[in-house]
Amino acid sequence: MKFLLIEDNIQLAHAICSRMGFDGHVIDHAATIRDARAFSATEDYDLILLDIMLPDGDGRDFLKHHREGKKDTPVIVLTARSQVSDRISILDLGADDYVTKPFDHAELEARVRAVLRRRGGVSQTVLRVGNVEFDPVAGTLVVDGTALQLRNRELRLLELLINAPGQIFAKQKLVDRLFSYDDDVSENAVEVYIGRLRKHLKGSSLSITTLRGLGYRLEHE
C-alpha cells in the first residue's frame, strides 16, 4: 500500500519509512504542510500519517482541509499532546486514530493494521476469486490451496489489480503506486514485476492481459 508521512523530524521519519518499507509499503515523505498538500493533490494514498507540529503550521489545519475536500483517506495523527481535549479535537476533525509521542514502532504498525482493517471496501478483507485467496493486510496469497511466497512489490501489484478487475492500468500509473517519488525507476521495472506475478498466477483462475499501448488488465476466467 502507499502511505503519505507528514513529519518534520527527519530521524523519526526515516525510522518510520524504514519500518513500513520493510512490510512492503511505499512511503512518500513530506516535512511541511505545503509539501503534503502538493503530494495529496497529485496522488491517491491508502493512509496518511500526520504530525501536528510542523514548521509551516498546524497539522490539524491540513486534516481539516483534507476532510473538507471530501477525501476519505484514513488518517492517523502523531501527536505529543496527551490531554483528553486535544485527542477529542483530533478525532472530531476526522482523524481515524492517533498515536501519542514517544511511541513504540510496533504500536504504530498495529494501529495502521487496525485502521486498514476497519476501513470499508473489499480491499481490506480476504479476497476470494476462483481458486485464488488474497489477504492484502496480512500479505498472503493462496492459489488452488497452495500458499505462495511473493515479494513485497509483487503483493502490492496484485493488490492494485485484484481490487479493480477489468480496469486498465497504464505503466506509469503502476510506477506511481508501487514506488515513492524518491525511487529512481523506469516503466521497465513494472514489466519485471508483471512477469513475476504472471508466473505466480499460472494455473489460477486469474490472468494478466497486456493491452499494447494502454497497459495491463487483470481478468478472471
Side-chain angles (χ1 to χ4, degrees):
M1 295 187 178
K2 192 164 190 178
F3 300 163
L4 174 61
L5 170 63
I6 308 169
E7 170 61 64
D8 65 321
N9 184 316
I10 301 302
Q11 184 176 3
L12 177 58
H14 284 172
I16 293 174
C17 289
S18 178
R19 291 288 294 259
M20 295 295 177
F22 184 77
D23 289 334
H25 302 299
V26 177
I27 314 294
D28 284 333
H29 171 225
T32 64
I33 293 177
R34 178 181 179 182
D35 289 345
R37 286 177 174 168
F39 275 121
S40 63
T42 58
E43 185 60 79
D44 292 324
Y45 293 99
D46 299 296
L47 180 78
I48 295 175
L49 300 171
L50 173 64
D51 185 25
I52 290 297
M53 303 301 293
L54 295 163
D56 56 344
D58 194 315
R60 288 173 295 190
D61 293 332
F62 172 87
L63 176 58
K64 182 179 179 181
H65 181 267
H66 190 72
R67 291 300 186 228
E68 287 176 347
K70 306 301 181 183
K71 295 186 177 181
D72 62 353
T73 312
V75 177
I76 297 179
V77 170
L78 313 177
T79 177
R81 301 180 178 182
S82 58
Q83 299 230 353
V84 173
S85 59
D86 291 322
R87 299 198 298 268
I88 291 175
S89 68
I90 288 170
L91 294 173
D92 283 343
L93 282 173
D96 295 85
D97 201 352
Y98 61 86
V99 179
T100 304
K101 295 181 179 181
F103 53 80
D104 188 287
H105 286 279
E107 178 189 0
L108 177 59
E109 291 167 351
R111 289 181 179 270
V112 166
R113 291 193 297 270
V115 166
L116 292 177
R117 283 196 300 268
R118 291 198 303 266
R119 185 184 182 190
V122 296
S123 63
Q124 307 310 324
T125 63
V126 176
L127 300 176
R128 296 178 177 85
V129 183
N131 62 352
V132 175
E133 292 186 8
F134 178 58
D135 186 337
V137 176
T140 57
L141 172 66
V142 178
V143 175
D144 201 20
T146 301
L148 300 177
Q149 295 292 326
L150 271 66
R151 298 182 181 183
N152 287 328
R153 283 202 173 97
E154 294 167 3
L155 283 168
R156 302 312 165 198
L157 174 58
L158 178 57
E159 179 184 8
L160 289 171
L161 297 175
I162 203 170
N163 279 309
Q167 179 177 327
I168 300 173
F169 286 88
K171 284 185 181 179
Q172 187 56 53
K173 178 65 174 179
L174 293 177
V175 169
D176 293 341
R177 295 294 292 165
L178 293 173
F179 301 93
S180 72
Y181 282 96
D182 295 330
D183 291 324
D184 184 17
V185 296
S186 68
E187 293 183 356
N188 292 335
V190 171
E191 296 180 8
V192 173
Y193 287 109
I194 288 287
R196 292 176 180 173
L197 194 53
R198 278 177 170 149
K199 290 180 180 179
H200 289 301
L201 293 175
K202 188 175 182 179
S204 77
S205 55
L206 298 177
S207 61
I208 301 173
T209 300
T210 300
L211 301 170
R212 191 173 299 276
L214 296 176
Y216 302 99
R217 179 172 62 198
L218 186 73
E219 297 181 347
H220 177 223
E221 296 178 2

